[in-house]
Amino acid sequence: MKEKFSIFTAIAYTSAKPHIGNTYEIVLADAIARFKRLKGYDVYFQTGTDEHGEKIAQKALENGLTPQEYCDNISQEIQNIWDIMNTSYDRFVRTTDKNHERVVARIFEKLHEQGDIYLGKYEGLYCVPCESFFTESQLVEGKCPDCGREVVEKSEEAYFFKMSKYQKQLEDYLEAHKDFIQPESRKNEMVNNFIKPGLQDLCVSRTSFDWGIKVPMDPKHVVYVWLDALTNYITNIGYDVDSQTDEFNKIWPADLHLVGKDIIRFHMIYWPIFLMALDLPLPKKVFGHPWLLMANDKMSKSKGNVMYADDLVSIYGVDAIRYYVLHEIPFGHDGNITDELIVERINSDLANVLGNLVNRTISMAQKYFDGEVSNQNVLDQFDSELVASINSLDERVTKRMDELEIGKAIDEIFELLRRSNKYIDETMPWSLAKDENKRARLETVLYHLLEAIRVSAIYLSSFLPDTSKEILRQINQENNSFSFESTLKYQVLEPKILFQRIENKG
């Protein structure tokens, strides 16, 4: 049986159309999921939408729609964008699904019955956009620590979850599982700011709005966002309070939760504690990825600096945008996006390095051998270095992917592509073609180049799936070996440009 790998993104909030910064997460998850499938894992990849809450009710009212109608529209728009970005999720879930709502209500009942949830009154500082309460000490310059907006004082009857009851258990778990939260800096921030000062009991119901899952034993309350939203990870794969399906037992625990750094607190503190209370295993790893900034500034509609994935794709193409967001955001630091930077990457990497190599090689195979190339094994000093680079690619890319360094994994592939372009300069096929006695050497050179392209294309399938397919189609090769093969027969097709250079309009 294949080894399983399950990956879950955070679910997107249906308050508005997602911008390219929001879209980065699903593309990142897709690259990881595709790579795991490539390596033979049985992968489960889940994403979806978070659809309850006060903000949604307000947005629906502003648009003259019911909350459900509003959510249906935005959820579909989000799914359409995920599809435009060619993401290979296995399940797209919604928190308005009737089964999810039923199981959340049962979870609330169970936690109440076992004394983890109690009725009280909340008086505190509340951020409406983030739907979160904060203490005075958690604010940053008097404003929400997550989004920087103003907070308001709120007071209402509410049910609370006893976070403090599980604080020691959580601290022990974090101490014993050093890699649970990545990057390390995110964990240190959460421990120092939220855990060490003492966990506050968490508000898990609201009465000031009714767009949510009714609390079973007290229906004037609705289940508040995090107990509703976070449990999507288990309600949609067969968890129920009284039983678990075979699917749940196969998929859970998650191998990786991929979430934005702004919601790492909920996945490092609230979600693990909910799972502890339900006596369920915790995810193996939570990665709080950085943000994609617009000209070094956080994207915001109010600032007018938002870029949308579908608009960018209509200009530059899907794989160009996938390449940019995957390659340009470092492991632990925010990345930056502008049209100028996208064009620069397309021209320098995709057109010059990748596209030029594929086009030159296929063109020479057509010109000198009518497209038919096999290995004549006439070797010289340059071949061993190229073959070694091909054969070490698997180890290098796998190491980077295991460490969630996606951009560096792509760099490893492009290092082989650059080495292949250098190999052309070293071997000078055009010069070999002038001497009939060097024909076997010329064919060997082209064979080595086609093998470098074939192996590179296999690995690019995780990041640039359409481009990978097109390369393999042009070289007309179905062999999926990760290393240099010495006995293949190539019958390449006509070359086609993979990426057109874009002239700067200035």
Side-chain angles (χ1 to χ4, degrees):
M1 290 180 62
K2 290 182 177 180
E3 185 177 351
K4 76 96 177 174
F5 181 84
S6 55
I7 179 170
F8 297 75
T9 71
I11 48 177
Y13 199 41
T14 50
S15 58
K17 176 181 177 179
H19 55 63
I20 188 62
N22 307 135
T23 307
Y24 163 63
E25 182 175 303
I26 189 74
V27 177
L28 182 64
D30 180 66
I32 295 167
R34 285 180 183 272
F35 183 76
K36 287 294 186 179
R37 290 192 198 103
L38 181 67
K39 299 297 289 182
Y41 286 78
D42 182 5
V43 172
Y44 177 77
F45 172 17
Q46 180 175 301
T47 187
T49 46
D50 173 10
E51 303 184 20
H52 292 129
E54 184 176 14
K55 189 175 179 181
I56 299 297
Q58 289 177 352
K59 288 278 188 179
L61 186 64
E62 290 166 9
N63 285 273
L65 299 170
T66 67
Q68 188 64 62
E69 289 170 337
Y70 184 81
C71 288
D72 289 346
N73 292 343
I74 300 294
S75 181
Q76 187 59 60
E77 188 166 34
I78 290 169
Q79 189 168 7
N80 289 344
I81 290 174
W82 285 191
D83 292 342
I84 286 169
M85 295 308 299
N86 198 6
T87 58
S88 59
Y89 54 85
D90 295 293
R91 187 172 287 156
F92 186 96
V93 305
R94 301 179 59 185
T95 56
T96 51
D97 290 342
K98 294 306 175 190
N99 181 67
H100 172 78
E101 292 183 336
R102 179 187 65 80
V103 177
V104 168
R106 288 286 295 117
I107 289 171
F108 196 102
E109 272 186 319
K110 174 182 171 64
L111 297 175
H112 182 259
E113 288 166 4
Q114 66 189 35
D116 288 323
I117 288 177
Y118 63 92
L119 183 62
K121 188 175 183 181
Y122 200 96
E123 294 179 352
L125 301 166
Y126 181 69
C127 175
V128 174
C130 293
E131 298 199 71
S132 294
F133 285 102
F134 298 97
T135 63
E136 191 76 45
S137 64
Q138 290 170 341
L139 300 181
V140 177
E141 296 181 353
K143 296 181 179 179
C144 173
D146 290 338
C147 73
R149 293 181 176 91
E150 297 290 341
V151 294
V152 294
E153 288 191 10
K154 284 223 174 190
S155 174
E156 64 182 88
E157 180 183 88
Y159 283 90
F160 290 83
F161 184 97
K162 293 181 181 176
M163 285 282 152
S164 51
K165 175 180 172 181
Y166 294 91
Q167 173 155 347
K168 179 65 164 60
Q169 190 176 342
L170 177 63
E171 288 175 329
D172 290 346
Y173 188 89
L174 294 175
E175 182 62 31
H177 299 81
K178 301 291 189 184
D179 294 332
F180 176 57
I181 301 294
Q182 292 290 324
E184 180 78 10
S185 58
R186 308 256 191 269
K187 182 175 82 169
N188 296 338
E189 181 184 340
M190 292 301 107
V191 169
N192 292 330
N193 292 349
F194 291 93
I195 298 177
K196 281 186 177 178
L199 291 179
Q200 304 288 318
D201 287 353
L202 180 68
C203 175
V204 290
S205 82
R206 299 290 303 280
T207 58
S208 57
F209 62 91
D210 63 0
W211 178 237
I213 302 167
K214 302 293 184 186
V215 171
M217 64 281 189
D218 196 350
K220 70 176 180 290
H221 289 257
V222 294
V223 178
Y224 188 38
V225 57
W226 294 110
L227 192 55
D228 171 8
L230 289 166
T231 51
N232 93 88
Y233 302 126
I234 57 175
T235 61
N236 288 284
I237 56 173
Y239 173 79
D240 208 334
V241 168
D242 303 311
S243 63
Q244 286 84 51
T245 64
D246 290 342
E247 181 185 34
F248 177 80
N249 292 327
K250 173 187 173 184
I251 292 172
W252 196 260
D255 290 279
L256 179 62
H257 273 322
L258 198 61
V259 303
K261 65 179 182 178
D262 53 328
I263 58 171
I264 193 77
R265 175 170 90 252
F266 311 111
H267 291 79
M268 178 180 163
I269 300 174
Y270 303 166
W271 181 224
I273 285 179
F274 291 157
L275 289 168
M276 288 171 180
L278 294 170
D279 197 26
L280 292 174
L282 273 57
K284 295 178 183 175
K285 183 172 291 188
V286 178
F287 177 52
H289 65 74
W291 286 334
L292 182 59
L293 306 177
M294 171 66 173
N296 290 311
D297 194 9
K298 187 179 178 183
M299 290 189 199
S300 165
K301 283 188 175 180
S302 62
K303 295 177 182 176
N305 67 344
V306 173
M307 302 173 86
Y308 293 102
D310 49 344
D311 294 337
L312 291 169
V313 165
S314 69
I315 299 169
Y316 303 112
V318 176
D319 277 1
I321 299 305
R322 283 179 64 103
Y323 178 83
Y324 188 88
V325 299
L326 291 171
H327 183 260
E328 292 303 301
I329 302 184
F331 172 74
H333 305 283
D334 294 336
N336 197 27
I337 186 168
T338 64
D339 283 293
E340 292 76 13
L341 290 171
I342 294 170
V343 168
E344 182 183 317
R345 275 285 155 247
I346 290 172
N347 288 345
S348 64
D349 295 357
L350 299 178
N352 283 8
V353 177
L354 172 60
N356 195 33
L357 172 67
V358 173
N359 194 270
R360 290 170 79 192
T361 301
I362 295 175
S363 296
M364 287 188 290
Q366 289 283 6
K367 180 178 180 180
Y368 300 135
F369 297 100
D370 295 323
E372 293 186 26
V373 175
S374 57
N375 188 10
Q376 300 303 312
N377 212 32
V378 178
L379 305 175
D380 77 7
Q381 66 198 48
F382 301 116
D383 301 319
S384 59
E385 186 180 337
L386 182 64
V387 171
S389 185
I390 295 170
N391 288 337
S392 66
L393 187 62
D394 181 63
E395 180 182 354
R396 290 183 283 124
V397 173
T398 300
K399 181 177 183 294
R400 296 297 193 184
M401 292 299 288
D402 286 347
E403 294 170 351
L404 301 178
E405 294 180 328
I406 313 303
K408 290 183 178 178
I410 296 173
D411 280 339
E412 298 291 359
I413 301 168
F414 271 75
E415 184 59 35
L416 174 57
L417 298 172
R418 290 185 176 88
R419 182 67 193 83
S420 301
N421 278 316
K422 182 182 176 185
Y423 177 80
I424 292 176
D425 295 336
E426 291 168 340
T427 56
M428 297 186 293
W430 54 89
S431 179
L432 295 173
K434 295 175 182 177
D435 188 341
E436 188 64 29
N437 293 325
K438 294 181 179 177
R439 190 165 177 78
R441 172 60 188 155
L442 173 61
E443 191 170 359
T444 302
V445 166
L446 293 179
Y447 183 89
H448 279 70
L449 287 168
L450 287 167
E451 272 296 275
I453 290 168
R454 179 187 67 80
V455 173
S456 296
I458 289 170
Y459 283 100
L460 284 174
S461 66
S462 302
F463 315 104
L464 313 178
D466 288 343
T467 302
S468 169
K469 283 181 191 173
E470 177 58 18
I471 293 170
L472 293 171
R473 186 196 70 79
Q474 288 188 34
I475 66 174
N476 197 19
Q477 189 55 250
E478 295 182 355
N479 185 288
N480 58 4
S481 165
F482 296 140
S483 58
F484 183 87
E485 295 289 326
S486 60
T487 59
L488 299 182
K489 305 291 183 185
Y490 279 93
Q491 175 66 66
V492 303
L493 306 179
E494 288 297 316
K496 289 188 177 180
I497 300 295
L498 296 175
F499 294 94
Q500 292 282 1
R501 280 188 58 82
I502 300 172
E503 297 304 321
N504 284 306
K505 295 182 176 66

